[in-house]
Amino acid sequence: MNTQRQTYVADEDTSGSLVQEKDESDRRLLELGYKVEFRREMSFFGVIGMSFCAIGILTGMSSAFQTGLFSGGPLGLFWGWNICSLFMLFIALSLAEICSAYPTMGGLYFWVCKMKPDSPALGFCTGWIYTIAMVLTGTSGNLSVALYIASLVEIGQRTTLTRIEIAAIAWGVNIASGIINTIGTKAVGRMSAFNVWWTVGGTIVLVITLVTKAPKRNSATFVFTDYENFTGWTSEGVVVLLGFLQAVYTLEGCETAAQVAEEAHRAEFLAPVAVVGSIVGSWIIGLAYMLALLFSVQSISGVQATSYAIPIAQLYFDAVGQRLTLMCLTVIALAQFMAAATAFTASSRLFYALARDNGVPMKRHFMALNRFQAPFIGVWLSVLIGCIISCAYIGSVIAFNAILSSAAISVMLGYLQPIIIRVFWPSAMKERGPFHLGKWSAPINLASFSFIIFICVLFVLPTARPVTQFNMNYAVVSIGGIFLVVGLTWVLWGRTRFFGTVHTNPDLVQDSAKSDSARSNLEKIGTV
């Protein structure tokens, strides 16, 4: 199809010859084989806000801060943040280049299918693993909101909530995320755009509060060189590397902008810019927030021994007192809620994209849109799974943490699939979008590939020594379970029903049918 000529379609709501011109993004979607089914109502700030929400710089940094604090201390946190941010930027650049060529809501899944159409199993498994990862990410975020609320109650009312009460709050937060996503694109887009300003403004407020109110401000020597080890590992190198997990966990999510590519104008340019821009912005904002936390922490051992539901609450309480801690935790909790809601936005779009290509059972249900243009079945299935998994928190915190740790690994494995193709089969991406890396594409893809492999190995190492049943890293068991479920689904169901992307653009379907007919006639003539 010639992208330079004008393409017109008849308005199905009228009997006349009323026509409307498709914009460039719609043309590109049609060329990729899909008819236009979503209204493009999301602004650039909405798109970049999706990635900012998913990354959740305030929330990821706050929720996982103790991981780096206890494993390497300020030295590991500072240097780990900058090193990991650089490599996560490489990953974002690699993904953005592919996103620009294939701006569809399937994201990682569609890119793999498009670049390796001869390996449908690879595309199927990528789509399922990444969808599961997004559901688990949303579930993790919503439980974090519940933990922040529990900490607020503990600090404000001096009442400790039970695990059943915390799980019940998580169920309510899951349902609230579902309601927002059911309202549709405009609501999610406005929330995402608001989150950009909330993150920037909230960071400024938190930094100023910490720096001005802390009774003791630590020296630069402490912030940049102090080493801490609460892990039991004797190797300082391993301890510092384990602290890298905090940075990687925080910075995951930049690719979420691709999930709303069919709901934004100029998606072939704005979506990749949002993918890269969200990492750059998060790197800077996260560094400022981290330095404020490190200059203000009063007692690392006190944070390690806290009884609060989430350890960062102890750091704030020691640094700024009860009333300001309540304010700061409220800022973080609201940001966490918006981050978790966008994970369910991504998972519902992935369910839709898989259904469009016969990648899930009951495809018509998953492709159904309500009057707000929301794939509501995928939204509420994500909510239901989130509520069920939250029940595990009641029985065992260790089991719940293992399930959610596998989400971080699954996201990195999702990144790995398209980048592997770009490294070993660079010619597989036949198209090039307006955002491309030129001669830097190969080295950046190789650096991204190497870092992902390294981090996936790091994610499954024991985080404490000696290893016991209470501190073992069960993420390897959980990720193995995900692989088993996805593998069995492919063998028992997918291999007979999923054959790659399915064209829904009527023009391409007709052209394909004509080509098949012509090929059949030629074969008959040759036989005669």
Side-chain angles (χ1 to χ4, degrees):
M1 184 183 294
N2 184 355
T3 59
Q4 300 302 317
R5 66 181 177 84
Q6 292 182 327
T7 305
Y8 297 93
V9 296
D11 187 339
E12 296 178 352
D13 295 329
T14 64
S15 58
S17 59
L18 181 64
V19 295
Q20 51 184 237
E21 184 180 351
K22 295 291 182 186
D23 68 12
E24 189 64 29
S25 297
D26 285 347
R27 292 194 192 101
R28 182 58 184 144
L29 185 63
L30 292 168
E31 289 173 353
L32 291 172
Y34 295 126
K35 64 181 180 180
V36 179
E37 298 183 270
F38 286 84
R39 292 189 293 267
R40 296 189 180 273
E41 299 177 328
M42 195 166 287
S43 66
F44 172 67
F45 273 107
V47 177
I48 196 171
M50 282 292 297
S51 288
F52 261 108
C53 266
I55 292 173
I57 195 65
L58 283 180
T59 59
M61 178 76 72
S62 300
S63 301
F65 188 73
Q66 69 276 2
T67 301
L69 196 62
F70 305 154
S71 182
L75 180 148
L77 278 167
F78 176 78
W79 296 108
W81 177 258
N82 288 289
I83 292 170
C84 290
S85 293
L86 176 62
F87 280 97
M88 291 300 286
L89 177 60
F90 289 158
I91 293 173
L93 288 167
S94 298
L95 298 178
E97 184 177 42
I98 308 172
C99 178
S100 184
Y102 308 120
T104 67
M105 68 169 50
L108 304 172
Y109 146 75
F110 178 84
W111 305 340
V112 171
C113 289
K114 191 69 176 177
M115 291 189 290
K116 292 293 288 182
D118 57 333
S119 301
L122 183 61
F124 181 90
C125 292
T126 299
W128 271 70
I129 289 173
Y130 187 60
T131 302
I132 292 171
M134 287 296 99
V135 174
L136 294 179
T137 299
T139 303
S140 171
N142 286 330
L143 179 75
S144 294
V145 174
L147 292 174
Y148 279 113
I149 293 174
S151 294
L152 286 168
V153 172
E154 289 172 344
I155 294 170
Q157 303 297 323
R158 293 180 173 84
T159 301
T160 301
L161 300 185
T162 65
R163 283 192 295 194
I164 293 178
E165 291 170 327
I166 293 174
I169 295 172
W171 298 335
V173 179
N174 275 310
I175 292 170
S177 296
I179 292 172
I180 288 178
N181 277 288
T182 303
I183 295 174
T185 301
K186 282 187 176 180
V188 174
R190 287 169 181 166
M191 182 191 72
S192 300
F194 171 74
N195 182 67
V196 175
W197 303 113
W198 184 263
T199 298
V200 174
T203 302
I204 293 172
V205 169
L206 295 180
V207 168
I208 293 174
T209 303
L210 286 167
V211 172
T212 58
K213 293 296 182 179
K216 179 193 73 174
R217 282 186 287 277
N218 298 309
S219 66
T221 301
F222 172 86
V223 170
F224 299 116
T225 65
D226 182 66
Y227 169 80
E228 301 286 342
N229 181 8
F230 291 83
T231 67
W233 283 87
T234 56
S235 170
E236 292 185 1
V238 172
V239 172
V240 172
L241 288 176
L242 288 173
F244 280 21
L245 300 180
Q246 176 268 341
V248 174
Y249 172 81
T250 301
L251 290 166
E252 286 183 337
C254 66
E255 79 294 342
T256 310
Q259 306 307 328
V260 292
E262 294 179 32
E263 301 168 68
H265 291 286
R266 298 189 65 203
E268 66 281 354
F269 179 74
L270 294 186
V273 168
V275 170
V276 176
S278 62
I279 289 291
V280 174
S282 296
W283 185 351
I284 297 169
I285 294 171
L287 182 60
Y289 182 42
M290 173 183 287
L291 289 175
L293 290 170
L294 293 177
F295 275 109
S296 305
V297 61
Q298 302 298 296
S299 171
I300 294 177
S301 59
V303 175
Q304 196 269 340
T306 186
S307 61
Y308 292 142
I310 199 154
I312 196 73
Q314 186 69 55
L315 187 153
Y316 272 100
F317 187 84
D318 294 342
V320 300
Q322 180 187 27
R323 295 181 64 182
L324 288 176
T325 296
L326 294 174
M327 179 200 73
C328 294
L329 293 186
T330 301
V331 170
I332 299 170
L334 182 54
Q336 180 69 79
F337 173 72
M338 291 187 282
T342 56
F344 282 171
T345 304
S347 66
S348 64
R349 270 58 176 178
L350 283 162
F351 279 123
Y352 179 94
L354 283 167
R356 186 166 58 181
D357 295 327
N358 299 320
V360 293
M362 301 184 295
K363 61 173 290 182
R364 284 185 296 176
H365 296 284
F366 284 102
M367 291 182 66
L369 304 178
N370 63 11
R371 65 190 183 95
F372 299 108
Q373 290 285 290
F376 60 96
I377 297 297
V379 170
W380 288 101
L381 179 59
S382 301
V383 171
L384 176 62
I385 295 172
C387 289
I388 292 172
I389 293 175
S390 295
C391 293
Y393 182 78
I394 299 173
S396 171
V397 176
I398 296 173
F400 182 81
N401 289 337
I403 294 171
L404 298 185
S405 295
S406 63
I409 303 173
S410 297
V411 171
M412 295 303 288
L413 291 174
Y415 294 166
L416 183 62
Q417 307 310 314
I419 291 175
I420 279 180
I421 297 172
R422 294 289 291 129
V423 170
F424 294 102
W425 297 276
S427 61
M429 193 175 82
K430 297 177 174 60
E431 298 90 349
R432 192 169 79 168
F435 185 101
H436 58 86
L437 303 177
K439 66 180 181 180
W440 294 102
S441 181
I444 288 176
N445 286 326
L446 182 60
S448 300
F449 167 76
S450 302
F451 184 71
I452 292 171
I453 296 295
F454 170 73
I455 288 298
C456 285
V457 173
L458 203 61
F459 262 125
V460 298
L461 290 178
T463 56
R465 297 286 299 270
V467 179
T468 68
Q469 61 177 328
F470 301 108
N471 64 16
M472 177 181 170
N473 186 353
Y474 289 96
V476 65
V477 178
S478 183
I479 198 69
I482 292 175
F483 283 168
L484 181 63
V485 169
V486 173
L488 287 176
T489 303
W490 167 255
V491 171
L492 300 178
W493 183 86
R495 65 188 179 91
T496 60
R497 292 171 175 82
F498 180 83
F499 304 100
T501 58
V502 176
H503 289 166
T504 61
N505 177 7
D507 293 337
L508 289 184
V509 172
Q510 291 174 7
D511 291 344
S512 177
K514 290 177 182 178
S515 298
D516 291 342
S517 177
R519 189 181 302 109
S520 177
N521 290 334
L522 286 173
E523 290 174 353
K524 290 179 181 178
I525 293 172
T527 302
V528 174

